[in-house]
């Protein structure tokens, strides 16, 4: 496609852009059970306006933008409170869960190298840990040692301990893990790490905000954050259940010394000292301002409210699925994630079910093994579950009648 010779007028341009979205999932109406999180139009509007005001400011160098330094420090401080990090805790904003996890892997590699001289490092992690750890191991040259989860989909600490050797630099647990939505036994995993002086990362990209507020709401939540001895770093995605704009996650380390293994500084070029807190160089202040603004707009009682709403919607959906003979819950939801498969996978294809749902405008995640569908239930879904369940029933009937099969699809795409 060639650039148009003459610029297009602003109104025409935005009309075109909006028209491109015609086939997209209508997330503002609660039709997306993955990829987008919303606590309602007022919160979305605050995020968008704050993003617009700081979109051009550059987090590469906060000397020029004390405003950005302040935004980052305050956002990270609040997340530190949520994580019970204490005064020693030290973190950075990143662009998302993937960048936070890449940094956890990089920091552990660096620590193993500097403190123990490890040159062929490995990471011990359950099969349920996020794909971004795999990416990090690949990018940074570590071996990924995947350990099967137990029958309850939770990490198996004894099997993890058996996989650890002198070259292990990092153990991983998730709170919760993405695929089945269950919380790993963080205290047991961290104890293995502490005993051997190995880093232990808790991936709370999904659950960091939700678990903080579920506990405050009186739900039973096992220890998962810095209150657990041995946990050295935790990731929390604000652009998920923090309900802020895309491009905001926090990686928090137990102290500044551990955080130092994350950063990178060089002067080996002709442009002077170049330092960076994470992967990127230039980075927009937009997501930082949006995170700060949404967090202050919602406030503590706002997060209690939206967390309770998401949990109610999740429980409502779980109850409906439990009552559907064709479907089987993979696990009881520990937070707000629901995964389910077919009661009889020989005769019922859940990917065909996902196709049928998408024809009705609902987008759910497809995953496996085993073939499963996945719903990330959030505040936007409160009041929408009845409509979804009605379409889910209709979709089950369609698939049963057609006995068709569908495509697995992908969690992330490369085109
Ligand atoms: C979403 C998620 C990630 C990756 O985060 P991105 O923001 O998509 O890069 C990592 N771990 C868990 C548990 C997640 O839910």
């Amino acid at each position: 496609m060639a650039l148009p010779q003459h610029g297009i007028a602003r109104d025409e341009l935005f009309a075109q852009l909006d028209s491109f979205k015609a086939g997209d999932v209508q997330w503002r109406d609660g039709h997306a059970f993955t990829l987008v999180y919303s606590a309602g139009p007022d919160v979305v509007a605050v995020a968008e306006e704050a993003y617009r005001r700081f979109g051009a400011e550059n987090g590469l160098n906060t000397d020029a933008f004390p405003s950005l330094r302040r935004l980052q420090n305050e956002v990270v401080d609040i997340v530190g409170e949520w994580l019970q990090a204490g005064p020693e805790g030290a973190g950075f904003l990143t662009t998302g869960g993937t960048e936070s996890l890449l940094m956890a892997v990089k920091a552990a590699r660096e620590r193993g190298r500097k403190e123990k001289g490890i040159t062929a490092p490995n990471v011990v992690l359950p099969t349920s840990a996020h794909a971004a750890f795999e990416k990090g191991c690949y990018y940074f040259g570590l071996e990924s040692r995947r350990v099967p989860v137990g029958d309850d989909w939770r990490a198996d600490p004894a099997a993890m301990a058996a996989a650890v050797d002198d070259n292990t630099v990092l153990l991983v647990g998730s709170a919760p893990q993405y695929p089945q939505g269950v919380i790993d036994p963080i205290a047991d995993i961290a104890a293995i790490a502490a005993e051997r002086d190995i880093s232990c990362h808790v991936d709370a990209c999904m659950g960091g905000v939700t678990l903080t507020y579920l506990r405050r709401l009186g739900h039973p939540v096992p220890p998962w954050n810095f209150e657990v001895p041995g946990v050295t770093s935790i990731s929390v995605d604000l652009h998920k259940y923090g309900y802020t704009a895309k491009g905001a996650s926090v990686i928090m380390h137990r102290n500044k010394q551990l955080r130092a293994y994350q950063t990178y500084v060089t002067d080996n070029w002709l442009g002077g000292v170049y330092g960076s807190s994470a992967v990127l160089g230039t980075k927009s202040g937009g997501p930082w301002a949006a995170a700060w603004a949404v967090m202050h707009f919602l406030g503590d009682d706002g997060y209690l409210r939206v967390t309770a709403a998401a949990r109610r919607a999740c429980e409502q959906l779980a109850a409906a699925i439990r009552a559907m003979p064709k479907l089987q819950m993979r696990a009881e939801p520990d937070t707000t994630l629901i995964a389910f498969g077919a009661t009889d996978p020989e005769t019922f294809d859940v990917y065909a079910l996902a196709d049928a749902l998408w024809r009705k405008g609902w987008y759910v995640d497809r995953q496996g093994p085993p073939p499963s569908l996945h719903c990330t239930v959030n505040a936007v879904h409160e009041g929408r579950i009845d409509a979804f369940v009605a379409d889910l029933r209709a979709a089950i009937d369609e698939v049963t009648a057609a006995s068709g099969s569908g495509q697995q699809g992908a969690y992330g795409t490369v085109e």
Side-chain angles (χ1 to χ4, degrees):
M1 170 177 197
L3 188 66
Q5 190 184 357
H6 303 295
I8 300 174
R10 191 192 145 97
D11 288 352
E12 163 63 10
L13 195 80
F14 286 118
Q16 276 197 34
L17 271 180
D18 287 342
S19 75
F20 293 169
K21 285 185 168 182
D24 290 359
V25 59
Q26 301 295 302
W27 58 268
R28 288 171 205 270
D29 303 334
H31 280 77
F33 278 98
T34 175
L35 301 169
V36 187
Y37 302 71
S38 169
D42 53 343
V43 180
V44 172
V46 165
E48 287 174 351
E49 178 58 22
Y51 198 109
R52 192 186 66 71
R53 291 182 189 214
F54 279 82
E57 277 69 13
N58 193 340
L60 169 61
N61 186 332
T62 53
D63 285 347
F65 302 106
S67 61
L68 292 185
R69 181 177 301 145
R70 174 173 184 174
L71 291 174
Q72 171 162 248
N73 286 345
E74 294 189 4
V75 167
V76 168
D77 267 9
I78 292 166
V79 173
E81 291 278 320
W82 287 346
L83 300 180
Q84 300 182 254
E88 298 286 296
F92 284 121
L93 274 163
T94 69
T95 52
T98 297
E99 194 182 5
S100 289
L101 298 186
L102 291 180
M103 289 299 95
V105 172
K106 188 264 183 193
R109 186 197 69 182
E110 214 76 348
R111 182 180 172 207
R113 189 184 281 169
K114 295 218 169 98
E115 294 183 8
K116 296 183 183 168
I118 293 172
T119 54
N122 68 67
V123 179
V124 171
L125 71 178
T127 44
S128 55
H130 196 271
F133 287 107
E134 213 59 29
K135 193 179 191 174
C137 288
Y138 181 77
Y139 279 9
F140 301 132
L142 294 84
E143 179 197 346
S144 158
R145 292 198 177 165
R146 291 276 182 175
V147 177
V149 293
D151 291 340
D152 57 359
W153 307 104
R154 296 181 210 277
D156 177 348
M160 288 178 71
V164 170
D165 65 15
D166 290 345
N167 287 327
T168 303
V169 295
L170 179 65
L171 272 80
V172 171
S174 306
Q177 43 96 306
Y178 186 86
Q180 289 80 28
V182 298
I183 301 170
D184 288 329
I186 300 300
D188 297 342
I189 296 169
I192 300 164
E195 191 186 321
R196 296 160 190 253
D197 206 18
I198 296 169
S199 293
C200 174
H201 183 81
V202 175
D203 180 0
C205 283
M206 192 54 96
V209 182
T210 305
L211 289 174
T212 299
Y213 285 94
L214 277 183
R215 181 180 275 181
R216 298 257 310 273
L217 288 162
H219 287 260
V221 172
W224 62 277
N225 61 22
F226 285 110
E227 75 175 319
V228 179
V231 170
T232 56
S233 58
I234 305 179
S235 49
V236 179
D237 289 355
L238 299 174
H239 65 200
K240 289 177 179 159
Y241 287 96
Y243 296 105
T244 181
K246 294 278 184 298
S249 171
V250 167
I251 167 127
M252 196 82 198
H253 299 268
R254 190 176 277 280
N255 56 48
K256 273 211 161 121
Q257 191 193 341
L258 288 168
R259 191 183 71 169
Y261 292 123
Q262 167 177 336
T263 53
Y264 178 77
V265 182
T266 184
D267 62 0
N268 189 19
W269 71 315
L270 303 183
V273 176
Y274 174 99
S276 51
S277 54
V279 175
L280 300 188
T282 287
K283 47 196 161 193
S284 170
W288 299 13
W292 189 95
V294 167
M295 289 161 85
H296 286 79
F297 182 66
L298 280 173
D300 203 43
D301 54 1
Y303 279 111
L304 282 168
R305 179 168 47 79
V306 296
T307 302
R311 178 66 192 186
R312 274 195 301 272
C314 175
E315 285 174 3
Q316 191 190 348
L317 179 56
I321 292 172
R322 257 184 242 117
M324 294 178 182
K326 295 266 180 196
L327 303 182
Q328 195 174 63
M329 296 279 286
R330 291 279 173 242
E332 289 309 311
D334 278 345
T335 59
T336 48
L337 308 185
I338 289 181
F340 56 95
T343 309
D344 180 5
E346 300 292 320
T347 61
F348 193 87
D349 180 353
V350 286
Y351 301 143
L353 181 60
D355 288 344
L357 284 169
W358 184 219
R359 285 195 294 275
K360 298 177 190 304
W362 302 96
Y363 201 89
V364 301
D365 251 359
R366 304 152 191 242
Q367 56 181 33
S372 308
L373 302 184
H374 185 280
C375 292
T376 303
V377 184
N378 61 85
V380 77
H381 296 118
E382 201 184 36
R384 322 265 171 159
I385 298 296
D386 284 340
F388 176 64
V389 167
D391 278 347
L392 181 57
R393 287 209 181 91
I396 290 172
D397 291 344
E398 280 169 32
V399 171
T400 308
S403 65
S405 62
Q407 295 289 316
Q408 173 165 4
Y411 177 105
T413 56
V414 287
E415 280 166 50

